[in-house]
Amino acid sequence: MRAARLIKMVLLLQSRPSMTAAELAAELEVSERTVTRDALALSEAGVPVYADRGRAGGYRLVGGYRTRLTGLARGEAEALFLSGLPGALRDMGLEDAASAARLKVSAALLPSLRDAPDSVAQRFLLDAPGWYQEPESPEMLPPIAEAVWDDRMVSARYRRADREVERELAPYGLVLKAGVWYLCARSGTAFRTYRVDRFSAVALSAEHFVRDEEFALPDFWAARAAEFARSILRAEVVLRLTEAGASRLPYVTDRAAAGEALAAGTREADGRVTATLPVESEDIAFSQLLGLGAEAEVLAPASLRARFASASRSMASLYGREAQDGEAGEASGPADDEGPGR
């Protein structure tokens, strides 16, 4: 543990011109007294750590010294490619590995490039979770991530809608989608997708599995995501849309389904389009299409058309009297006080 801390201290000093004892203590998560002892130990070991006294003092390496302890371990190199996802790294238990990797890279850079990591961090940020929801940190994510990195089999208990099942899985990869973690794994001979927050227990096996060389995580996920999107669209709605309604349809419902429906629709002489739109259910279609207002007319099914008719009457009742009063006021009210006479 101390050896790793001493190495980290050298790398910190190599990546910066100077650091105070308080700064080093914060980075290393130790006391300032421990920093003093560690600096002395490094000096005795031949590492030229120099202490500047005084209010503006601190620790620095004698000019030109560079450690050779900058080779990236495999785990650190892999974690470095995820360094733009600090929350994901933390959830998977890889935050320390990524931190060590970034330090080694910074230490290996030329002095003129030392500001590159900070420059990038100030310009680009990936915020994975969706809006209006707290990001989830599933309890079983760290052991699953460990199994994914090491290609180790796992014994897991998984909560399904009606019961809890046990599975022996070969965990191939993890996907973070809109703040939700998914595991892509092989169960028997079939590849399946599991929500990580539904695992109630995960035990890593000593057995390692051999990866299928033809498996590609991005391709697998893209295919499963498209399959899922189609599978939930179990109902259909026939719509007559104005041009404005047609242009807004992809923004209120499934974009791919809307595009296909509009492409296959029938265009009328007045510019309106009649299209058959796949939807999840009448309830969801009602809430989605209501936002289009008078730019969309539901033709079928009859039950959904009746709901829109009822909603239209309710809204007319709610706003109708106010609209009539406003029109009456415009017809008989006094003129604006903009002319002479006051």
Side-chain angles (χ1 to χ4, degrees), residues 282 298 300-309:
E282 285 193 19
V298 174
S303 55
L304 183 58
R305 182 178 174 87
R307 288 183 65 176
F308 273 93

Side-chain angles (χ1 to χ4, degrees), residues 212-221:
D212 183 344
E213 294 183 358
E214 296 183 358
F215 178 86
L217 181 59
D219 295 342
F220 174 80
W221 178 256

Side-chain angles (χ1 to χ4, degrees), residues 52-290:
D52 290 318
R53 305 297 179 184
R55 181 182 297 274
Y59 292 93
R60 61 183 176 85
L61 294 175
V62 173
Y65 179 85
R66 297 183 66 79
T67 178
R68 295 174 182 240
L69 298 172
T70 53
L72 290 177
R74 181 177 182 83
E76 294 168 347
E78 290 169 332
L80 187 62
F81 289 100
L82 292 170
S83 59
L85 291 166
L89 285 168
R90 182 178 58 253
D91 291 346
M92 290 189 291
L94 296 172
E95 192 171 25
D96 290 342
S99 175
R102 285 192 294 270
L103 276 174
K104 290 183 177 181
V105 170
S106 296
L109 292 174
L110 294 172
S112 61
L113 300 177
R114 292 277 169 80
D115 65 338
D118 290 335
S119 176
V120 171
Q122 292 300 324
R123 287 166 172 79
F124 300 100
L125 174 67
L126 177 59
D127 186 8
W131 291 104
Y132 313 119
Q133 61 180 343
E134 291 294 326
E136 298 180 359
S137 298
E139 182 181 355
M140 295 294 114
L141 181 58
I144 290 176
E146 181 181 349
V148 169
W149 286 122
D150 294 341
D151 293 343
R152 292 171 64 180
M153 297 290 296
V154 298
S155 299
R157 289 204 304 272
Y158 188 75
R159 294 187 297 271
R160 301 185 66 176
D162 55 345
R163 66 187 188 283
E164 192 170 79
V165 297
E166 295 186 359
R167 292 287 184 265
E168 296 291 325
L169 301 174
Y172 269 62
L174 285 163
V175 175
L176 178 59
K177 172 70 171 179
V180 180
W181 285 95
Y182 296 88
L183 172 66
C184 302
R186 190 182 68 221
S187 176
T189 59
F191 285 95
R192 304 184 185 280
T193 304
Y194 302 87
R195 277 187 60 138
V196 174
D197 58 3
R198 292 182 183 170
F199 284 101
S200 58
V202 173
L204 276 66
S205 169
E207 177 187 356
H208 291 258
F209 64 90
V210 178
R211 284 179 170 265
D212 183 344
E213 294 183 358
E214 296 183 358
F215 178 86
L217 181 59
D219 295 342
F220 174 80
W221 178 256
R224 283 303 172 92
E227 179 183 324
F228 172 76
R230 294 191 194 96
S231 69
I232 63 175
L233 303 178
R234 302 186 181 93
E236 288 185 342
V237 174
V238 181
L239 299 171
R240 182 182 289 125
L241 300 147
T242 65
E243 292 185 6
S247 66
R248 289 167 52 192
L249 184 64
Y251 298 97
V252 300
T253 187
D254 183 85
R255 184 178 295 270
E260 294 174 3
L262 291 171
T266 302
R267 186 168 295 276
E268 301 176 6
D270 60 0
R272 292 188 298 175
V273 178
T274 300
T276 301
L277 176 70
V279 295
E280 291 184 50
S281 66
E282 285 193 19
D283 286 340
I284 293 177
F286 178 75
S287 62
Q288 291 175 336
L289 299 176
L290 195 62

